[in-house]
Amino acid sequence: MVTLPAAARLRGRNVLSVTDLGADELASLLALAQNLKARGREQMTLLRGKTLVMLFEKPSLRTRVSFETGMTQLGGHAIAATGTDFGIGTRETPEDAARVLSRYGDAIVYRTHAHEPLVRFAGAATVPTINALSEAAHPCQAFADLLTIRDRFGTLQGLRLAFVGDARNNVAISLAEAAALCGMSISFAAPPTHRPPDAFLARLVKLGAPHGVQARAFTSPVRAVRDVDVVYTDVWTSMGDEQFVERNIAALRPYQIDAALMGAAAKHALFMHCLPAHRGEEVTAEVIDGPQSVVFDQAENRLHAQKALLLALLTDLRGLTE
Ligand code: CP
Ligand code: NVA
């Protein structure tokens, strides 16, 4: 029987954070991404004549190249503007830029410093806006990460994930939201300065309530990773926060992922990192280059997950089976 995939409901919508999707939409998006992954580099024409406009206020390797590659593989075209090419908030308002770019592109990918201009931009755009990373969220990374975990374990529901390090950053927030929606329990390991607020933990429990998800924060990294299926970390200082490098190194040094800490997780545990990584800071070379690491699968899955997202936002998925 042909059923309407939940991802079909995403058509024309904005994706600024993971929770812009419902749990069924996220699951459906991941299934579509898996399907596209199985097709490899097959050249498709589903986005023929469509243009993706990409704006990057901060550096990007994976996000920019995977979106552009995805558009090429789907038969469309992508154009990127970076750094001083544009000036949202300086040369013109987010609203004016959004109205202009909506006259050219079929969707807009935007990497910003603050989250608020992105919200204003998306509010004025008349085509879908995708968050390519802001200070508050990195949803595209989370979609790829869940695809990676699902690929390895065959399921997401009931798994346990630990995020160690700067547990207030964009990657941690989006990953935790996505994991909770998919039925994964989350533990954070961070010093008080980098601990997620209690209100956020409560929100995760609520997001994962249908699955009985737990969300807890520890100061001890060993306690947080004990017997978990996935150990995740990110850089200690995110782009734009460079003035806090020394403070962050001092606070987060006890949270480095090394072989001993991985030993406290389940034997089959994966090591994950969104990249770029700093060997010798948040993770040792032994771990990130070792057999438990799936960081390059994560990077590859950016492509597949974003192709699925572009199809869901820009095409009619009705008629596809789940
Ligand atoms: N992980 C990630 O978003 O990488 P880039 O910053 O290189 O896009
Ligand atoms: N938290 C990091 C992620 C980079 C992909 C940053 O914002 O710089």
Side-chain angles (χ1 to χ4, degrees):
M1 195 181 74
V2 175
T3 56
L4 176 71
R9 296 199 302 266
L10 295 175
R11 190 168 188 190
R13 279 165 44 185
N14 298 320
V15 177
L16 306 190
S17 73
V18 166
T19 51
D20 286 332
L21 280 68
D24 60 339
E25 292 164 352
L26 177 54
S28 176
L29 185 77
L30 295 178
L32 179 59
Q34 191 68 52
N35 188 296
L36 290 165
K37 184 172 183 176
R39 290 163 180 261
R41 298 186 186 199
E42 183 182 322
Q43 181 62 46
M44 300 180 187
T45 55
L46 294 160
L47 294 187
R48 188 168 45 201
K50 304 261 191 230
T51 298
L52 180 68
V53 177
M54 305 192 291
L55 304 174
F56 288 93
E57 288 176 357
K58 297 193 262 197
S60 172
L61 179 70
R62 281 143 289 271
T63 307
R64 177 176 172 173
V65 178
S66 57
F67 263 116
E68 183 160 350
T69 304
M71 281 303 285
T72 302
Q73 292 180 356
L74 293 169
H77 178 68
I79 181 166
T82 60
T84 52
D85 288 349
F86 61 97
I88 295 176
T90 51
R91 284 187 76 221
E92 55 198 311
T93 65
E95 289 81 4
D96 282 355
R99 290 182 193 116
V100 169
L101 294 173
S102 297
R103 304 276 180 119
Y104 306 142
D106 296 283
I108 300 161
V109 160
Y110 185 13
R111 172 169 287 195
T112 59
H113 288 282
H115 193 72
E116 193 254 342
L118 175 69
V119 173
R120 285 175 55 189
F121 182 99
T126 54
V127 298
T129 302
I130 302 169
N131 181 359
L133 181 148
S134 67
E135 67 182 0
H138 196 3
C140 296
Q141 182 67 48
F143 302 149
D145 293 339
L146 288 209
L147 184 61
T148 308
I149 299 169
R150 210 183 78 138
D151 240 1
R152 290 288 175 141
F153 291 107
T155 183
L156 293 169
Q157 201 180 319
L159 295 178
R160 295 174 56 210
L161 175 148
F163 186 98
V164 180
D166 181 6
R168 290 185 180 191
N169 81 10
N170 42 19
V171 168
I173 290 168
S174 291
L175 175 72
E177 289 173 345
L181 274 177
C182 292
M184 295 177 66
S185 285
I186 304 112
S187 53
F188 297 95
T193 44
H194 295 73
R195 184 187 191 278
D198 287 340
F200 181 66
L201 299 178
R203 208 159 73 74
L204 294 178
V205 169
K206 203 165 163 197
L207 284 175
H211 306 289
V213 158
Q214 294 190 337
R216 289 185 293 179
F218 299 91
T219 43
S220 157
V222 174
R223 285 195 64 195
V225 307
R226 191 169 289 147
D227 297 327
V228 298
D229 304 290
V230 178
V231 178
Y232 201 118
T233 193
D234 185 11
V235 290
W236 286 342
T237 300
S238 289
M239 292 179 278
D241 285 344
E242 286 76 13
Q243 73 270 32
F244 301 120
V245 166
E246 296 308 323
R247 183 202 74 178
N248 289 341
I249 291 176
L252 293 169
R253 205 187 303 275
Y255 295 85
Q256 182 187 69
I257 314 276
D258 58 14
L261 189 58
M262 284 304 290
K267 245 196 177 68
H268 60 252
L270 304 178
F271 169 76
M272 298 182 71
H273 191 308
C274 58
L275 302 179
H278 298 141
R279 287 168 178 78
E281 289 189 19
E282 71 272 10
V283 60
T284 61
E286 185 185 8
V287 169
I288 195 169
D289 298 320
Q292 289 170 284
S293 173
V294 292
V295 297
F296 299 111
D297 293 334
Q298 289 174 256
E300 177 189 330
N301 286 335
R302 295 293 305 273
L303 172 65
H304 309 303
Q306 288 159 200
K307 282 170 72 178
L309 185 62
L310 290 167
L311 288 182
L313 298 182
L314 295 177
T315 68
D316 186 358
L317 294 180
R318 289 173 303 172
L320 288 184
T321 49
E322 288 283 1

